[in-house]
Amino acid sequence: MNYRHIYHAGNFADVIKHIVLMRVLDYLKQKDKAFFVLDTHAGIGIYDLDADQARRTAEADDGIARVMAHADTAPEAVRAYVDLVRGFNRGDEWRTYPGSPAITHSLIRDQDRMVVNELHPDDVVTLEHHMGRDDRVRVEHMDAYQVIKALLPPPERRGMVLVDPPFEVTDEFARMTKALIDAHKRWATGVYAFWYPIKDPRVIARWHNDLADTGIPKIMAVDFMIRPASDVTRLNGSGLVLVNAPWTLESELNTILPWLVSTLTKGAGSFTITHLTGE
Ligand code: SAM
């Protein structure tokens, strides 16, 4: 396990993933009934963007830093994300970046519950420290695909699962397909979000076909390119496959993503929203 998210915290991919996470949680909060969130690859929860590792890659400079710099022109949903990030910082300084566990923790209500899971032995300790003591939060130290089997379906029968792997293994796409099939058998009505890097779009197209072949309904893919994929060895974009996405999400993304294309990529990027399967 060599991957450490501190090198990438607050980059363009985090920005999109975390805005989508917030939109889904916001939707779930429209009903009083409790919901459950499972974050299968949680990371350490909160990131210091001044840390050596973060500065070495400076990926946040092309991600959250650009969003912050142009926040005054941002759509409402992006402003809510900016406000949430600002809440982890003091005044105009913003060197702390919340990961998915901290974002979810900020948004759940008294009746809601979350499980954050992390396999790295050092990172799970840091994660525990960052999450603090809260009866609504449980930290697990398991393989992500085992935690899905162990915890689904949740008793609440409402909620979401975020699957955000580091792609250190060559068969991660196949593992995610299998995880979706398993998870969907256990809990067909949960909202699922699977994150993936986009290097070669042909690889992504094949995976999308595999997902469509599962026959699982309501699968939507949101792909965001920071540049055309002329060199398929580079990280050219990132995507999220959403299952049972809130019906409001697509129209929200049609406002949010054009703004992110111009802010994060100066217009060089693009996005697509594709329905891989229907209702
Ligand atoms: N979701 C986090 C966020 O948005 O802030 C970032 C997670 S990072 C992309 C992926 C994390 O998965 C790393 O912290 C890594 O240690 C962890 N990881 C890698 N393999 C895992 C596995 N099989 N099960 C659980 N966690 C794993």
Side-chain angles (χ1 to χ4, degrees), residues 1-5 8 14 17-18 21 39-47 97-103 117-121 123 141-147 162-168 172 175 195:
M1 297 186 73
N2 291 319
Y3 181 94
R4 313 305 287 275
H5 195 63
H8 310 290
D14 262 9
K17 173 178 59 189
H18 293 154
L21 171 65
D39 192 338
T40 62
H41 299 74
I44 61 171
I46 297 179
Y47 298 89
Y97 185 75
S100 51
I103 290 174
N117 178 70
E118 169 58 48
L119 190 59
H120 194 290
D123 285 358
H141 179 209
M142 278 194 232
D143 174 68
Y145 301 115
Q146 295 305 319
V147 90
L162 172 64
V163 181
D164 182 18
F167 281 79
E168 284 184 307
E172 198 72 70
R175 289 188 196 200
W195 183 89

Side-chain angles (χ1 to χ4, degrees), residues 234-249:
R234 298 180 72 189
L235 181 67
N236 294 308
S238 72
L240 282 167
V241 153
L242 292 139
V243 182
N244 298 324
W247 67 273
T248 42
L249 185 65

Side-chain angles (χ1 to χ4, degrees), residues 80-262:
Y81 162 71
V82 166
D83 288 345
L84 187 145
V85 176
R86 283 212 178 106
F88 284 83
N89 292 275
R90 246 181 265 130
D92 281 342
E93 270 183 32
W94 57 271
R95 302 311 304 166
T96 301
Y97 185 75
S100 51
I103 290 174
T104 304
H105 195 203
S106 301
L107 296 176
I108 60 170
R109 306 158 299 181
D110 289 349
Q111 65 268 43
D112 304 323
R113 210 165 51 86
M114 61 188 282
V115 172
V116 287
N117 178 70
E118 169 58 48
L119 190 59
H120 194 290
D122 296 338
D123 285 358
V124 75
V125 173
T126 313
L127 177 64
E128 267 173 346
H129 170 73
H130 282 152
M131 298 314 288
R133 286 175 69 86
D134 184 333
D135 288 345
R136 301 168 305 166
V137 183
R138 202 167 96 208
V139 178
E140 289 285 359
H141 179 209
M142 278 194 232
D143 174 68
Y145 301 115
Q146 295 305 319
V147 90
I148 288 175
K149 288 192 178 137
L151 298 187
L152 300 187
E156 292 87 350
R157 301 277 171 166
R158 295 184 74 222
M160 94 175 274
V161 180
L162 172 64
V163 181
D164 182 18
F167 281 79
E168 284 184 307
V169 292
T170 50
D171 63 343
E172 198 72 70
F173 283 109
R175 289 188 196 200
M176 294 208 298
T177 309
K178 191 172 172 308
L180 173 59
I181 294 169
D182 281 353
H184 195 266
K185 270 188 203 138
R186 286 163 205 272
W187 187 29
T189 54
V191 180
Y192 296 91
F194 290 82
W195 183 89
Y196 49 94
I198 304 178
K199 291 181 178 175
D200 184 347
R202 289 167 299 188
V203 172
I204 306 305
R206 282 198 291 274
W207 183 55
H208 286 175
N209 280 337
D210 290 347
L211 291 175
D213 287 346
T214 63
I216 291 170
K218 290 184 73 177
I219 308 182
M220 179 170 102
V222 179
D223 287 353
F224 187 93
M225 304 300 289
I226 50 171
R227 65 175 83 85
S230 39
D231 177 353
V232 295
T233 63
R234 298 180 72 189
L235 181 67
N236 294 308
S238 72
L240 282 167
V241 153
L242 292 139
V243 182
N244 298 324
W247 67 273
T248 42
L249 185 65
E250 183 171 356
S251 69
E252 290 176 346
L253 289 175
N254 276 317
T255 306
I256 295 166
L257 295 177
W259 186 85
L260 288 178
V261 166
S262 69

Side-chain angles (χ1 to χ4, degrees), residues 6-59:
I6 180 79
Y7 289 98
H8 310 290
N11 71 0
F12 78 93
D14 262 9
V15 168
I16 298 157
K17 173 178 59 189
H18 293 154
I19 291 173
V20 170
L21 171 65
M22 285 184 67
R23 299 320 309 145
V24 173
L25 296 180
D26 210 51
Y27 180 83
L28 288 169
K29 285 165 73 170
Q30 287 178 10
K31 283 192 185 150
D32 287 338
K33 200 169 173 296
F35 64 80
F36 169 75
V37 179
L38 172 60
D39 192 338
T40 62
H41 299 74
I44 61 171
I46 297 179
Y47 298 89
D48 173 8
L49 296 181
D50 275 338
D52 278 354
Q53 301 101 311
R55 287 315 309 155
R56 215 173 296 162
T57 56
E59 288 190 18

